[in-house]
Amino acid sequence: MEIHKPKPIHSWREFAVELLTIVMGILIALGAEALVEHHRTERAVGFSRADFIDELSRNRGEVAANLEQARVLQGQLNQVLLSGAKFVAGKGPPLGGVQVARDFVWPKSAAWAGALSTKVMGDFPHDEGRAVAKAYSEQEAFIALQRSEQTVWFGLAESSYVGAPTRPEVARALQHMTEAAAYLQAHIETEQGLLKAYDGALERLKRE
């Protein structure tokens, strides 16, 4: 193997040229590495953004449909409460029977969990990441409300009656219905807020 000794530097000008060459080589290497890392980051953010748009859009559709059902159910429940109260007070005809059904919706959060596990959220633009985080935070609050609400509605189903009930039976059912109606109102209000959060996040995601 042949070994070449470095040439001696005879002037400050030669030294400056050598130093500049080394510095330029380092800067080019660092720039190339930064460019590769930036491309990797942008690609990861792009994949997560697409996942968010798909998941939040699906969740929004399910929640919007559930909100319409909840509003219809609220009208029906209010009518039952009114007629039941009249019957208990002896001011209305006996009720033929009450069976109240309640549908629940469980939005998904796989995209959010994936983004957190890969720590890609730190690479999102601040406003965009904040809007996405708000949507999933309100979604979790909505799911927690539904878990509490389920217990009330299961109890209501057990207290529902078919046939010609007595006034005490209707009075007991009305207690459950009143509690269920309060949860249903909270459900509707929370769902409305969740839809706004979805819209805000989707607007930011699609803008980028």
Side-chain angles (χ1 to χ4, degrees):
M1 175 170 31
E2 230 180 305
I3 300 176
H4 297 280
K5 293 182 180 180
K7 295 180 181 179
I9 297 175
H10 300 290
S11 67
W12 284 106
R13 182 177 180 182
E14 289 183 11
F15 174 75
V17 170
E18 289 288 336
L19 181 61
L20 182 61
T21 301
I22 293 172
V23 171
M24 288 298 295
I26 294 174
L27 290 177
I28 290 172
L30 290 175
E33 183 180 353
L35 187 63
V36 170
E37 181 63 20
H38 176 73
H39 177 71
R40 183 200 67 77
T41 299
E42 284 297 305
R43 187 174 178 184
V45 168
F47 284 141
S48 289
R49 183 179 287 122
D51 289 343
F52 283 142
I53 291 173
D54 179 65
E55 186 169 80
L56 291 176
S57 295
R58 290 175 183 270
N59 288 350
R60 193 200 184 286
E62 293 175 0
V63 169
N66 184 262
L67 176 58
E68 292 305 311
Q69 294 175 3
R71 283 171 173 158
V72 171
L73 178 60
Q74 187 179 47
Q76 296 172 344
L77 188 57
N78 287 340
Q79 290 180 351
V80 171
L81 283 168
L82 181 61
S83 60
K86 287 181 178 179
F87 172 64
V88 171
K91 298 179 180 179
L95 300 179
V98 176
Q99 287 182 306
V100 183
R102 177 79 176 88
D103 290 330
F104 294 92
V105 60
W106 305 101
K108 308 295 188 298
S109 58
W112 177 245
L116 291 180
S117 66
T118 59
K119 300 181 179 179
V120 72
M121 289 307 300
D123 298 318
F124 269 77
H126 177 70
D127 289 349
E128 186 180 357
R130 186 172 61 180
V132 171
K134 177 179 174 59
Y136 281 101
S137 175
E138 296 210 11
Q139 178 174 293
E140 283 303 309
F142 171 68
I143 290 173
L145 174 64
Q146 284 196 133
R147 291 197 181 105
S148 299
E149 192 182 356
Q150 269 188 321
T151 304
V152 175
W153 283 89
F154 289 155
L156 178 60
E158 292 174 1
S159 67
S160 296
Y161 50 83
V162 179
T166 64
R167 285 189 173 86
E169 288 176 333
V170 174
R172 284 193 297 271
L174 287 178
Q175 290 179 349
H176 285 289
M177 289 180 195
T178 300
E179 186 178 4
Y183 267 101
L184 185 58
Q185 179 60 35
H187 176 102
I188 290 173
E189 292 174 358
T190 304
E191 228 166 8
Q192 289 171 334
L194 179 55
L195 288 176
K196 289 181 180 178
Y198 282 152
D199 290 339
L202 288 169
E203 181 183 357
R204 289 295 307 170
L205 289 165
K206 294 177 180 179
R207 188 185 304 173
E208 297 296 333

